[in-house]
Each structure stands twice: as structure tokens, then as C-alpha cells.
Amino acid sequence: MSFKTVGTLLTLTLRATGNRTPPLARSPRVNRLSTSCRVFAGSQHVEKNKGQGCSSDSDRPNDGDVPLSSEPPHKCGNGDKKRLKEAAGAPGASDVRRRSFTSKAAPMDQTSFLWNRYNDLKRLVYDLIPPGACKSLNSSVIYANNEVSLEEVDIYGFDYDYTLAQYSNELNTLIYDTAKGFLIEHFKYPEEIAKYEYIPNFAVRGLHYDIQKGLLMKIDAFHYIEPGTVYRGLSPLSDEEVHYLYGGTFHVPLSQDSGFYGKGPKVKQFMDIFSIPEMTLLAVVNDFFFTNDIEYDPVHLFKDVSEAIGMVHLKGYMYKWIMQDLDKFILRKEETDAVLHRLVSQGKKLFLITNSPFSFVDKGMTHMVGKNWRDFFDVVIVQADKPHFFTDCIKPFRRLDNNGDLRWEKITSLDKGQIYKQGNLFDFLRLTGWRGSKVLYFGDHLYSDLADLMLRHGWRTAAIVPELEHETKIVSAHRYAVTLTWLQALTGLMERLQTHRDPDSKKVFLEWQKEREELR
């Protein structure tokens, strides 16, 4: 059963039960009835709507203030339809027949009424979702945000790092430890920082970092800080403190995070997988200074950590670690080999654009595909300097010889079997003619690999998102399905009953709101 089906059923149920009016204070002179047959107490006058049945409101018990007529209960005419009898245990119904307006039972107080509605709906949610009903998401399939016909795609492009080559999480630990050593040795940070070990799963891609305040957080698409996501160092901040630090609001102006790549003057968004150890190191050093009451400038800290992380890449440490133990760091090589073989066998053209150097790519691709890996690709570009490769038209293409040395001749075509360095997308399009929706490019960086190509050049793009494997397992769990459905049902219940503003109702709504926040 899909979430859509469950939502439809809940909507129908809420429509059927959600409009019942709770016990309200009524005039002692009038016993109001929700019925098409209006009966005035204390009189013999009955006003009927011809052809329509009676339906009393079961959620409105008799207050007992109005003397009930000794006359026999009112009956609908022959043209009226009889109300269907509710099954025992149905929402809003007990094991006995629903009370008629002539019931002399004690009136239900407002708090009990609301909690009864709450419990009825919750039982319904749990009954609707049997175990295993929502295990429909497969982490190994392709999810499409737009309609794509692969029959129309003739050219497939790939990034290398975290696209063709998937790396193990042990690489993050090495990057973190090496950059931490650079901070202590090169930037003279306190040696006590060395005791902080890498914390797996502390940070995820997409988080924002307030450079001037030293805060790591999650900001939504409308530039509002998500409550409960702000960390100073390794400790979360309360929503009240965040509200104070940002001048009485949770909104971060666009001007502070104005860059297309999330690099505003005050806030940076970390979007690639290599940035995960950088976020962890920023949090650790902030935590050390803050907990030890050491005065520091968060702007300087951000700059130093960024340079320390950059040194790991510039000095070639990461490339050396991977090339020394390819089996340890490169994952799922058989899948990469199978994909490339299948595309080529179907007559598709392939190209590779990566920021990594040729010697590193050559060793990795040989490990995954074989020595003839270059035969799969019509164009291979290394050290492309993305994202500038996609946005600037300054750097020309240079060809590399078989030893990896630069050649000096002008590039007038991009030939199969050759290796090219740098260049730019505008010359790439001019020399290949590969434009529009017949090109599908795979990358891991949503901005620098994918957004420009889609928005500016009309290429089809595909994001490699390893995190979705874990997310799909969570979403497919029975607990998640029940929690999400109950969250939607509770929200609908609050929407339908929000007109009750008496003190007792407000207390109940505060408890429901707290539960709703915890569910979210």
C-alpha cells in the first residue's frame, strides 16, 4: 500500500468524522440537533425536509437542561433514507449503538472529546498500515525528477571521483587526520586538538556554515534555519539562542548566501562529499576553543581549516593513499565495468571530465575496467578545474602525450584515444557538437557538475547520491511509514479541530503540537 493510498483513505475518514462538532455551550432553552428534521423541544411542531433523512450528531450529547418530550421519538417519513448503522469499533463509534438525541447519558467534557478523537484516529492509522506494506523503495534503481527518454540519449558523460569511482568512508578519516596535523604543525594550533578523533556521520552534504559566527546548520530552500539543526562545535544550540543570535529571526538573507555555488560572503554551503571531513574539523576546532574559553576569530579559523583541507589535495596525499591500496578504497568496481561495457555495446558515445590528474585516473580506471579503459571513451579531459570549466571560456585545451607531459600544438579537434587537460565547456561544445537533451552527464556535485549544464546548456543530468541508499532503507521501514502517516493524520486532525479555542482545548493542542514536532 502506497503513502498516497493511505493518505486518500485517511482523507475520506477525516471527511466522514472530522466535521462533527464537539460539545459546545448551548442555550438551556434550545437543544440543537444536527438533523434535516428540526425538532423544537417542548412542542408538537415538526419541520421536515421532504425526501431527506434524519442524521443526529452523535458528538453532541444532551446537556440534560432541556426537558425531553414524553412523546414517542420522531420518525422520518417514507421518503427518507435510513441512516446506515456504524460498525462497532469504527472511528467515533463504540461497541454499542450510537446515542440518539434522546440519550440521558452524562455530557462529555471538551478534553475527553478531543482525546477520544485523537485515539480513534491513531487506531485507524495503525490498522491501515500492515507490516511490510511500504517496503517498495529500492536503493539500487534510478529515480527521475523529470521525464527522460534514454532512447533519445546518444552521449553519456561522467565525472570520475565519487561517480565512476566510489570511495570507502575510510578516506574521510585520513583526510581529517592529515588536515588536523597541518593545523597543528603548519598553522600552530594548540596540540590538544590532536585528541579529537574523526566522528563518522556527524555531518552530511548540504549543510551551511556561518563563517562569522562559527555555526554549522541546515538551511531550507526558503533560507530559513531548520529548528534543532544548529551546532556550535559539537554541541547543539537551543532554538531560543539561535533566534537571539540572528536578531529575532530564523531567516538568513539571500545577500549573505548569494553565490550560485553556495559561497556567499558570510555563509558557505558544503555540497561535495570531500567536504564532510572539513565540516567535522571545523566543528572540532570550534568546540575546543569554545569549551576552553579561548578567544578566537571564527573567520580566521574557517580560512585556516579550508587551507589545511586544500593542502591534503594539493600535496597529492589523497591520490597517494588510494593508489597504494586500490582494493581498500575503491568500491563497486564491477558495477562501473558493467555500465561502461553495456553503453558502448549499444553504440553510445562516452566522455570523461574530471579534476583529478591523469596518472591517478589511469591507475583507478585500469583497476576497475582494465588497461584498455581509454577505448571506451571518445573524449577524456583531466584537471578540468570545475566548476570554472563549465562557466569560463578562458583556458584552452592542452593535449598530453603518453608520458603525461603537455604538448604545445593548438587543439582543433577532440580525438578518441587522446588525453586533454583543462579547456572549457564552450570549446568542448564547439568541437564536439554535443548539445541539448541528447547528452546525459553524471556527477556528484549538484551545483558545479549538474546545475550549470542543465540550466545553461540543456544537457540532461544525473546525480550520484550515495546517501540515498541509507535514506531509502529508512523510508522503507515500517516504523517510518507509520510515523509519517500518523504525522499527516495528526496534522489533519489539528486543522479540523483548531476552531476550539477554550482553555481546555488549548492545553490539548499544546500536547499535540509538541508530539507533532517530535514526529517531524
Side-chain angles (χ1 to χ4, degrees):
M1 181 182 294
S2 67
F3 289 138
K4 182 177 180 181
T5 304
V6 173
T8 302
L9 291 174
L10 284 174
T11 301
L12 294 174
T13 303
L14 287 172
R15 284 179 179 172
T17 65
N19 294 325
R20 295 175 185 162
T21 308
L24 299 175
R26 294 188 292 274
S27 168
R29 288 183 166 274
V30 181
N31 182 20
R32 297 182 60 194
L33 302 174
S34 175
T35 175
S36 58
C37 300
R38 298 175 55 197
V39 180
F40 293 92
S43 72
Q44 300 294 326
H45 176 69
V46 176
E47 181 178 321
K48 297 183 179 180
N49 288 333
K50 185 178 180 181
Q52 297 181 359
C54 302
S55 60
S56 64
D57 194 333
S58 67
D59 290 330
R60 283 189 184 172
N62 195 328
D63 286 340
D65 297 331
V66 181
L68 297 173
S69 172
S70 60
E71 295 292 327
H74 165 69
K75 296 182 179 180
C76 297
N78 295 331
D80 299 331
K81 294 182 180 179
K82 295 181 179 180
R83 187 183 60 195
L84 293 177
K85 179 180 177 181
E86 280 194 68
S94 62
D95 292 336
V96 297
R97 180 175 298 201
R98 177 183 290 188
R99 290 199 309 270
S100 68
F101 64 85
T102 58
S103 173
K104 297 182 180 181
M108 182 188 297
D109 62 88
Q110 185 74 3
T111 301
S112 299
F113 166 77
L114 293 176
W115 282 112
N116 281 347
R117 295 294 307 282
Y118 170 96
N119 292 326
D120 286 343
L121 188 59
K122 196 165 191 176
R123 283 193 297 269
L124 176 64
V125 167
Y126 280 80
D127 290 343
L128 276 176
I129 307 179
C134 297
K135 292 183 178 179
S136 58
L137 292 179
N138 186 348
S139 60
S140 63
V141 303
I142 298 173
Y143 293 94
N145 292 325
N146 195 2
E147 185 174 333
V148 179
S149 174
L150 295 182
E151 186 179 10
E152 299 174 358
V153 177
D154 298 323
I155 303 106
Y156 287 79
F158 298 91
D159 186 16
Y160 179 72
D161 296 305
Y162 285 107
T163 301
L164 288 178
Q166 293 290 321
Y167 302 127
S168 68
N169 291 331
E170 295 181 43
L171 184 61
N172 289 337
T173 303
L174 289 175
I175 294 174
Y176 169 87
D177 289 337
T178 306
K180 182 176 63 176
F182 285 147
L183 278 181
I184 297 171
E185 298 170 10
H186 183 77
F187 295 95
K188 307 304 179 184
Y189 274 65
E191 294 185 359
E192 291 82 355
I193 295 175
K195 68 180 182 181
Y196 286 87
E197 296 182 354
Y198 179 69
I199 308 173
N201 303 321
F202 172 76
V204 295
R205 285 196 296 170
L207 296 180
H208 287 75
Y209 183 77
D210 191 315
I211 298 171
Q212 296 183 337
K213 294 182 175 66
L215 301 177
L216 191 65
M217 67 191 72
K218 182 179 179 181
I219 298 178
D220 65 21
F222 303 99
H223 281 256
Y224 278 89
I225 300 171
E226 291 276 0
T229 67
V230 181
Y231 275 70
R232 177 186 281 127
L234 301 177
S235 302
L237 295 184
S238 66
D239 293 340
E240 292 75 18
E241 189 171 0
V242 175
H243 196 257
Y244 171 77
L245 289 173
Y246 285 88
T249 181
F250 289 103
H251 185 257
V252 178
L254 182 63
S255 58
Q256 297 182 16
D257 186 16
S258 57
F260 182 73
Y261 299 100
K263 298 178 181 179
K266 297 181 180 179
V267 178
K268 177 183 178 180
Q269 187 177 19
F270 292 98
M271 288 301 297
D272 60 70
I273 300 179
F274 287 126
S275 65
I276 293 178
E278 181 177 356
M279 286 186 278
T280 307
L281 187 57
L282 279 168
V284 160
V285 181
N286 271 297
D287 188 79
F288 172 79
F289 284 136
F290 189 77
T291 55
N292 290 280
D293 199 22
I294 299 175
E295 186 177 350
Y296 72 105
D297 188 339
V299 177
H300 297 331
L301 170 60
F302 172 78
K303 179 176 177 295
D304 294 341
V305 169
S306 296
E307 289 190 16
I309 292 289
M311 290 171 68
V312 176
H313 297 282
L314 292 175
K315 291 181 178 291
Y317 284 93
M318 188 194 76
Y319 303 136
K320 181 177 67 175
W321 298 328
I322 295 175
M323 288 191 291
Q324 286 176 348
D325 198 341
L326 295 170
D327 287 322
K328 177 181 178 181
F329 290 106
I330 294 183
L331 307 174
R332 307 168 79 162
K333 63 178 183 179
E334 295 82 6
E335 296 179 22
T336 299
D337 183 41
V339 168
L340 297 181
H341 271 89
R342 180 168 184 176
L343 290 175
V344 171
S345 66
Q346 297 297 318
K348 306 298 182 181
K349 295 182 180 296
L350 309 183
F351 65 91
L352 174 65
I353 303 177
T354 176
N355 285 347
S356 296
F358 172 70
S359 59
F360 174 70
V361 175
D362 181 53
K363 193 156 189 177
M365 290 299 298
T366 300
H367 174 72
M368 291 187 290
V369 180
K371 293 183 179 180
N372 64 336
W373 70 269
R374 289 163 63 178
D375 295 338
F376 286 90
F377 295 92
D378 293 84
V379 178
V380 177
I381 302 168
V382 299
Q383 294 177 275
D385 192 26
K386 296 180 297 182
H388 302 294
F389 178 89
F390 296 126
T391 57
D392 301 338
C393 54
I394 300 174
K395 293 182 179 179
F397 283 107
R398 301 285 301 272
R399 188 171 68 85
L400 301 179
D401 60 21
N402 293 330
N403 297 321
D405 297 324
L406 286 172
R407 302 290 297 175
W408 57 85
E409 63 266 20
K410 183 177 180 180
I411 303 301
T412 57
S413 63
L414 298 176
D415 301 323
K416 186 172 183 176
Q418 301 297 321
I419 305 298
Y420 299 94
K421 179 181 177 181
Q422 296 179 347
N424 61 83
L425 182 63
F426 301 93
D427 284 343
F428 179 86
L429 297 176
R430 178 177 57 83
L431 295 173
T432 61
W434 295 343
R435 301 176 182 274
S437 59
K438 67 180 181 180
V439 181
L440 176 59
Y441 183 77
F442 291 81
D444 67 288
H445 196 298
L446 299 182
Y447 291 155
S448 60
D449 278 335
L450 306 176
D452 273 331
L453 298 174
M454 176 183 63
L455 297 175
R456 302 181 188 219
H457 305 286
W459 282 10
R460 298 290 195 176
T461 56
I464 304 297
V465 188
E467 296 91 338
L468 283 183
E469 184 172 7
H470 178 65
E471 293 290 333
T472 51
K473 291 178 181 178
I474 294 177
V475 172
S476 299
H478 178 69
R479 179 183 176 186
Y480 178 89
V482 172
T483 301
L484 178 61
T485 308
W486 171 235
L487 172 62
Q488 295 171 334
L490 181 59
T491 302
L493 182 66
M494 294 175 66
E495 289 174 350
R496 284 164 173 77
L497 299 180
Q498 64 183 328
T499 54
H500 304 291
R501 308 301 300 166
D502 57 279
D504 290 339
S505 297
K506 288 183 179 180
K507 291 180 182 179
V508 175
F509 268 76
L510 285 176
E511 293 188 47
W512 290 357
Q513 182 61 35
K514 183 179 179 180
E515 179 182 359
R516 184 174 179 273
E517 291 173 357
E518 292 174 354
L519 290 171
R520 291 188 66 193

